[in-house]
Amino acid sequence: MTQPFPFSAIVGQDEMKRALILTAIDPRIGGVLVFGDRGTGKSTAVRALAALLPPIEAVENCVYNSSDVKTARGLWDAPKDAKLVSRPTPVIDLPLGATEDRVVGALDIERALTKGEKAFEPGLLARAHRGYLYIDEVNLLEDHLVDLLLDAAASGENVVEREGLSIRHPARFVLVGSGNPEEGELRPQLLDRFGLSVDVSSPADVATRVEVVKRRDAYENDTAAFLKRWRAADTKLRKAILAARDRLAEVATPDETLEDCAALCLALGSDGVRGELVLVRAARALAAHEGAETVTRAHVRTVAPSALRHRLRRDPLDEAGSGARVARAVEEVLG
């Protein structure tokens, strides 16, 4: 199996990389939506980040990635003496043509026919538990599947009631969707369910494009040497993410920060309070990543575009892009 491209070796795309790191520090931020050109490193970044994270401990042969035998035995016929094994953080691809049965799971037809037993065959949500679920061209996915995915991502569990089956299992994962807006848009209510949104574009200068090609070429020509070259940087980043997770609960969030977030969302006309929640969590994760003890305006200012640009209502009198509108509001509200 080919080792993923090192996360630290990805050239540019700083906002996308920061969004992925923040969700690795605090998965409660929600998923990440990445819109932009093809070939800009979207899927590479997701796989690279998962490879960067420490492996998870799970019950051997458990497709639900259960962290203890008791839970596993409540979901399938796990042996009483099943042991815990180390496995990589899962990254599950959800193809566009996937059926609802494939996603949530369904009756195990083979077992029903051969053994006459009614059993549940877990779907992709079970396999993504404790990891990442990646959907390329998420804007082309059928709406009912996107609804289903976002509900599971928000609740942290998958509920299946069909064909005489009544199954409920954990499904906590970070949802990452990507797509090209020219090929279709997500409904606003679905956009709002993603925690962060970033726009990526092809490198606009010769030097950056050359560096991208050089690193990709070096990776493909001698993968082992390339991974060795970037191992120290990835290890440093891994330790920083783990340290940020440990200090996250200790980072103070002053009332002034909450007021800033609320004022910003009001200025932008953001519906509901999901924008504030994500903004606060993302700012706190960034503060933890930087080793700060308190969330500041600088943290809010940095993550505001990612947290809010996809929550704006269209304004026919304002032709500025969503990123520009957020930047303008940040300047007016936060100074």
Side-chain angles (χ1 to χ4, degrees), residues 62-66 90 92 103-105 120-130 158 169-171 173:
C62 181
V63 296
Y64 298 91
N65 295 320
S66 297
I92 302 299
V103 175
V104 301
F120 179 65
E121 183 176 6
L124 299 177
L125 295 185
R127 300 176 191 280
H129 179 49
R130 303 173 67 195
N158 178 37
H169 67 76
F173 53 85

Side-chain angles (χ1 to χ4, degrees), residues 5-234:
F5 193 86
F7 191 85
S8 303
I10 296 172
V11 180
Q13 312 298 9
D14 293 337
E15 188 181 14
M16 174 177 67
K17 290 191 289 187
R18 180 172 58 236
L20 291 171
I21 289 172
L22 295 181
T23 58
I25 293 171
D26 185 0
R28 297 177 308 157
I29 291 172
V32 180
L33 180 63
V34 185
F35 263 155
D37 303 333
R38 295 178 184 277
T40 47
K42 299 184 291 289
S43 59
T44 297
V46 176
R47 289 177 174 77
L49 180 69
L52 180 73
L53 298 176
I56 61 172
E57 281 207 332
V59 176
E60 191 173 25
N61 298 322
C62 181
V63 296
Y64 298 91
N65 295 320
S66 297
S67 58
D68 62 84
V69 177
K70 183 179 179 181
T71 302
R73 285 183 58 77
L75 296 171
W76 62 290
D77 298 330
K80 289 182 180 178
D81 58 350
K83 59 183 180 181
L84 295 178
V85 297
S86 178
R87 64 177 65 166
T89 299
V91 179
I92 302 299
D93 283 288
L94 195 157
L96 280 183
T99 64
E100 187 170 331
D101 285 355
R102 177 71 178 126
V103 175
V104 301
L107 179 68
D108 187 336
I109 299 296
E110 182 179 350
R111 192 164 164 182
L113 292 176
T114 57
K115 299 183 179 180
E117 298 175 354
K118 185 182 293 184
F120 179 65
E121 183 176 6
L124 299 177
L125 295 185
R127 300 176 191 280
H129 179 49
R130 303 173 67 195
Y132 289 78
L133 185 66
Y134 177 60
I135 313 167
D136 193 16
E137 299 182 308
V138 64
N139 48 327
L140 302 183
L141 197 65
E142 293 182 27
D143 286 347
H144 75 281
L145 285 182
V146 180
D147 274 331
L148 185 155
L149 291 171
L150 294 174
D151 284 344
S155 66
E157 66 177 9
N158 178 37
V159 180
V160 182
E161 300 280 355
R162 62 171 63 176
E163 298 162 340
L165 294 170
S166 179
I167 303 294
R168 184 184 296 265
H169 67 76
R172 287 185 289 277
F173 53 85
V174 175
L175 180 64
V176 180
S178 65
N180 186 336
E182 295 179 355
E183 298 173 348
E185 297 183 349
L186 276 176
R187 286 181 284 131
Q189 58 268 44
L190 300 182
L191 277 172
D192 184 59
R193 301 291 292 275
F194 281 92
L196 302 175
S197 168
V198 296
D199 294 333
V200 295
S201 57
S202 304
D205 62 277
V206 171
T208 303
R209 298 180 79 98
V210 168
E211 188 61 27
V212 171
V213 172
K214 277 185 175 179
R215 292 187 188 182
R216 190 70 201 185
D217 203 36
Y219 168 73
E220 293 179 356
N221 286 338
D222 190 344
T223 302
F226 191 78
L227 294 177
K228 183 179 180 182
R229 175 184 165 196
W230 288 95
R231 187 170 299 142
D234 268 6

